[in-house]
Amino acid sequence: MSSLSTPFSRRACGDQANGRLRTTRLALTLGGLVLTGLLGGCADENQVTSVKFAPACPTIEVPGVAADRNLYDGQGLDVAHLVSQTQIVNVHGDCDKGGQDSSHRPLTRVRVSVDLHLERGPAATQNRITVPYFIAITRNGAIVDKKVFEDTFPLTAHKPSETVSTPLRLIDLPSGSNAHYSPYTLEAGLQLTHGELDYNYSHLLPAKFINTTPESTR
């Protein structure tokens, strides 16, 4: 089984201006999460060792502008009207051999989970938060498929801050002919409205992703 797990860090980039809620901006660590696992057995000198490679994992990317979501109550954009904040802090998972598609071609089964940091704002009126997020499949820069999910988490006045993980989501990709390389990229981000996206462009420093992924192992 190949692993998607990689060390992530979000580095502080400063506080926001204009009297708005001061938000620590952090840089996610991402990179080519292409790891292959070698599965083999023992054999004596008269036997041929059977060697199998787990399918290569796709690269994982998080668009910096889609790593944060500030939800307001519609009455204003200052801290008093903030309902919640959500930040992507990690993406992890693994890859393994999957089934076959309708044309009997082999598939790679990718399991992906997103770690989120949640903050309850002063304008919150419910003890839970629903987070919409997406996983898009791209190849050569073009989106070939996109799946949107929603998960709900408790976020109460007694525990206004929480780091949570989404359920594992299953993505099937064509395996290709090279066990060491996947031509696909998975993009994970928060599913934002046009207004939320404009807010991020106008008010937040986009998260920058730095590759600290260890070298691929066998």
Side-chain angles (χ1 to χ4, degrees):
M1 180 177 289
S2 301
S3 175
L4 282 173
S5 298
T6 188
F8 280 75
S9 65
R10 298 195 70 168
R11 293 197 309 228
C13 296
D15 295 328
Q16 303 306 312
N18 302 324
R20 303 192 185 281
L21 178 67
R22 298 196 304 172
T23 306
T24 302
R25 299 295 301 126
L26 302 162
L28 280 168
T29 302
L30 286 166
L33 312 182
V34 182
L35 304 180
T36 57
L38 175 63
L39 305 176
C42 298
D44 61 30
E45 60 184 8
N46 297 319
Q47 292 178 319
V48 177
T49 301
S50 175
V51 177
K52 270 186 172 176
F53 286 90
C57 286
T59 299
I60 296 289
E61 294 181 356
V62 176
V65 73
D68 295 83
R69 181 181 184 234
N70 289 338
L71 182 62
Y72 290 90
D73 63 3
Q75 304 301 311
L77 294 178
D78 57 36
V79 63
H81 297 288
L82 181 67
V83 176
S84 65
Q85 289 182 314
T86 302
Q87 292 181 330
I88 293 179
V89 295
N90 195 6
V91 180
H92 56 89
D94 55 42
C95 299
D96 205 350
K97 182 178 179 181
Q100 296 181 335
D101 65 12
S102 58
S103 299
H104 305 291
R105 293 172 297 189
L107 297 172
T108 297
R109 170 62 56 89
V110 185
R111 304 191 307 167
V112 183
S113 177
V114 181
D115 294 343
L116 306 167
H117 182 70
L118 310 177
E119 294 275 354
R120 180 185 171 97
T125 59
Q126 297 183 339
N127 290 326
R128 64 185 182 276
I129 177 174
T130 297
V131 179
Y133 60 99
F134 67 85
I135 299 174
I137 303 167
T138 68
R139 182 170 182 173
N140 298 325
I143 296 177
V144 297
D145 195 11
K146 179 181 177 181
K147 303 179 186 299
V148 179
F149 307 97
E150 280 192 351
D151 291 316
T152 300
F153 305 95
L155 198 62
T156 67
H158 298 290
K159 195 172 184 181
S161 175
E162 186 76 69
T163 298
V164 299
S165 298
T166 69
L168 283 170
R169 300 300 183 179
L170 305 182
I171 308 293
D172 287 329
L173 301 174
S175 295
S177 58
N178 188 343
H180 300 279
Y181 170 74
S182 172
Y184 295 95
T185 296
L186 295 187
E187 292 190 354
L190 300 172
Q191 183 68 21
L192 305 176
T193 65
H194 289 296
E196 291 166 346
L197 192 60
D198 289 342
Y199 179 90
N200 285 2
Y201 277 120
S202 301
H203 295 82
L204 301 182
L205 297 174
K208 294 183 179 180
F209 301 89
I210 302 171
N211 181 7
T212 62
T213 307
E215 293 183 1
S216 299
T217 57
R218 294 181 61 183

